[in-house]
Amino acid sequence: MEQMEAPILDAIYGGAVNFTDNGAEAESFKHRVDEIFVKVDKLEQRVNEIEQSTKKQPNACKSSSTAKDKDKHIPSMKKQQQDAACREAAAAKRMQELMRHFGTILRQITQHKWAWPFLQPVDVEGLGLHDYYKVIDKPMDFSTIKNQMEAKDGTGYKNVREICADVRLVFKNAMKYNDERSDVHVMAKTLLAKFEEKWLQLLPKVTEEEKRLEEEEAEAQLKMQFAEEAARAKMARDLSNELYEVDMHLEELREMVVQKCRKMSTEEKRKLGVALTRLSPEDLTKALDIVAQNNPGFQATADEVDLDIDAQTESTLWRLKFFVKDAIEVQGKSSASMGGNTNTNTNNHNSGNKTNNNLTNATNKRKREISDAIVKTAKKKNKKPSP
């Protein structure tokens, strides 16, 4: 994008384009260029957001602007979220049913004649159990379990395994603190055995529900991942289309600049011919393609190309000049970044009315041969070499 913008600005501010006859036209033209720059900046920001979103986990925060764009572009994203909410509600309902079954087991245990020591929290002070909290890390009783099961503020149990763990804790605390020959220890051990028997009857349903939840969650994550990938692909296509439109606007502006460029002088043509010999094989091929755009008969892909600088239209010459200027600047920056020093020795001679430059797009060796050919042609057409 920058390579297309730079020639336009160079032409406007560098004197190649003459807007002296119409100052308002020049300002309008510059304003259009500025608008394109702003649009490009916004597009680059959106590209960065897409790149960042690809690095996040599938369940990353959906409050970002990128996530909102996904919801806007891909309706299935919202549908996936709605399905997830429905699935969670159905799973919660099934878990409540399992808890209801567990409540039946709990009532059977608490109604046993030996359950009374475990119905309420241990009266540590009343019974003088001064070391109780040193032995027992987490006290538990059936009244606390019941309150947790009936909690409506979100602090209650989420699944039956949590309740099962606390029921076991009630009896294990009693067995841990009391001597195994004491009544409380025997009562706790007996009730724990009865509870485990009843729990085994409910366990298959619990396991089945857990497996179902795991499968549903895996399937939901996969669908969400597909939806996000589809969203990113859609956003990328939209960005590509917008970038294409920007390129078309820039191409239009560039064409306007070229059409308004002043006539290139003989000296500028000579320098352009010399500069062409300094291009890399890849850039030289691009330069020849520029010539071929306005000259259908020009064979840009031939092994040996005959380029008559003076025969080219003004628009082609200025296109070449802008392209060569940028290409050589990029080459210079690349050489500097690699720490390389490129020394190019060029013999400059005045060209005649027509200078045939034999250009090749094959190798650097062939480019040097072309440079020599340009010099020889100049000597033939100009009996007096330039001072």
Side-chain angles (χ1 to χ4, degrees):
M1 191 68 67
E2 292 179 355
Q3 289 183 346
M4 292 188 68
E5 295 164 358
I8 294 176
L9 294 180
D10 288 343
I12 297 174
Y13 298 105
V17 179
N18 185 5
F19 278 122
T20 55
D21 296 336
N22 193 342
E25 183 181 8
E27 289 302 320
S28 175
F29 192 91
K30 295 172 185 176
H31 179 68
R32 289 181 61 184
V33 174
D34 290 339
E35 286 182 340
I36 291 179
F37 285 179
V38 171
K39 188 170 184 179
V40 169
D41 288 340
K42 291 181 178 179
L43 289 175
E44 288 179 350
Q45 182 179 358
R46 288 174 58 190
V47 169
N48 291 334
E49 288 178 353
I50 293 177
E51 291 177 348
Q52 290 298 322
S53 69
T54 59
K55 299 177 182 179
K56 296 180 179 179
Q57 296 296 325
N59 293 327
C61 178
K62 296 297 185 293
S63 61
S64 65
S65 58
T66 304
K68 291 180 180 178
D69 284 342
K70 291 178 184 176
D71 289 343
K72 177 179 67 175
H73 287 300
I74 305 296
S76 63
M77 286 290 294
K78 288 186 176 180
K79 185 178 185 302
Q80 292 297 328
Q81 294 171 358
Q82 293 171 353
D83 290 346
C86 293
R87 185 176 61 255
E88 290 174 2
K93 186 176 181 180
R94 294 195 303 271
M95 185 57 67
Q96 287 295 326
E97 181 65 17
L98 287 174
M99 288 185 177
R100 188 181 67 80
H101 288 301
F102 191 91
T104 301
I105 296 175
L106 197 60
R107 281 193 300 272
Q108 292 174 354
I109 297 297
T110 56
Q111 289 174 2
H112 193 278
K113 62 181 180 179
W114 285 356
W116 61 267
F118 315 111
L119 297 180
Q120 298 296 328
V122 175
D123 186 4
V124 176
E125 294 184 3
L127 298 174
L129 307 177
H130 305 299
D131 61 342
Y132 187 80
Y133 294 117
K134 294 181 181 179
V135 178
I136 303 303
D137 296 327
K138 182 182 177 183
M140 186 57 59
D141 65 278
F142 287 119
S143 65
T144 301
I145 292 175
K146 182 181 179 182
N147 291 335
Q148 287 255 128
M149 291 180 65
E150 297 175 350
K152 303 296 184 182
D153 58 356
T155 61
Y157 296 112
K158 301 298 186 295
N159 57 69
V160 292
R161 285 192 183 273
E162 293 180 353
I163 314 175
C164 178
D166 279 352
V167 171
R168 286 171 174 160
L169 185 61
V170 171
F171 299 127
K172 288 183 178 182
N173 282 348
M175 294 166 64
K176 181 179 181 180
Y177 187 78
N178 296 278
D179 185 86
E180 62 181 8
R181 291 170 296 181
S182 68
D183 292 341
V184 174
H185 185 104
V186 173
M187 294 164 71
K189 186 175 181 179
T190 302
L191 290 178
L192 177 59
K194 291 183 176 295
F195 169 74
E196 294 294 353
E197 290 178 4
K198 296 182 181 297
W199 167 249
L200 286 176
Q201 297 175 5
L202 181 62
L203 186 58
K205 293 184 178 180
V206 175
T207 303
E208 181 183 356
E209 174 60 21
E210 290 172 340
K211 183 178 179 181
R212 178 176 178 178
L213 287 176
E214 184 178 350
E215 292 175 349
E216 288 181 350
E217 181 64 23
E219 182 181 0
Q221 287 185 357
L222 187 60
K223 288 182 178 179
M224 184 64 72
Q225 182 179 350
F226 287 155
E228 289 184 344
E229 290 175 355
R232 285 192 291 269
K234 177 72 164 57
M235 292 172 66
R237 288 195 300 272
D238 291 345
L239 281 173
S240 178
N241 292 336
E242 292 185 53
L243 286 171
Y244 177 79
E245 292 179 3
V246 170
D247 285 341
M248 291 298 98
H249 288 312
L250 285 172
E251 179 66 22
E252 179 184 348
L253 293 175
R254 187 183 67 168
E255 186 62 30
M256 291 174 62
V257 168
V258 170
Q259 294 300 328
K260 291 182 176 294
C261 282
R262 58 176 172 76
K263 186 175 181 180
M264 188 175 290
S265 67
T266 301
E267 177 65 12
E268 287 175 318
K269 292 179 183 178
R270 181 187 64 77
K271 291 181 178 179
L272 176 59
V274 173
L276 284 168
T277 66
R278 297 170 56 194
L279 295 179
S280 66
E282 181 181 356
D283 287 334
L284 186 57
T285 300
K286 294 179 181 179
L288 295 178
D289 287 339
I290 293 175
V291 176
Q293 288 177 5
N294 291 332
N295 188 355
F298 184 74
Q299 300 296 323
T301 58
D303 290 337
E304 186 172 308
V305 178
D306 185 40
L307 176 61
D308 189 345
I309 291 291
D310 288 331
Q312 305 306 313
T313 63
E314 291 298 324
S315 62
T316 298
L317 291 174
W318 282 107
R319 285 175 185 268
L320 284 173
K321 181 179 175 65
F322 297 150
F323 172 78
V324 169
K325 179 178 181 295
D326 279 348
I328 292 177
E329 286 181 357
V330 171
Q331 287 180 194
K333 292 178 181 179
S334 299
S335 298
S337 64
M338 293 185 295
N341 296 320
T342 303
N343 296 320
T344 305
N345 297 322
T346 306
N347 294 322
N348 297 333
H349 296 273
N350 287 333
S351 63
N353 291 331
K354 290 186 177 181
T355 303
N356 293 323
N357 300 298
N358 294 320
L359 302 179
T360 182
N361 52 9
T363 63
N364 287 328
K365 180 180 178 181
R366 184 57 181 155
K367 283 172 52 185
R368 287 194 293 271
E369 293 175 357
I370 295 171
S371 180
D372 293 340
I374 293 175
V375 173
K376 290 178 181 178
T377 303
K379 287 181 177 179
K380 289 180 181 179
K381 293 200 172 187
N382 297 287
K383 294 181 180 180
K384 296 181 180 181
S386 58

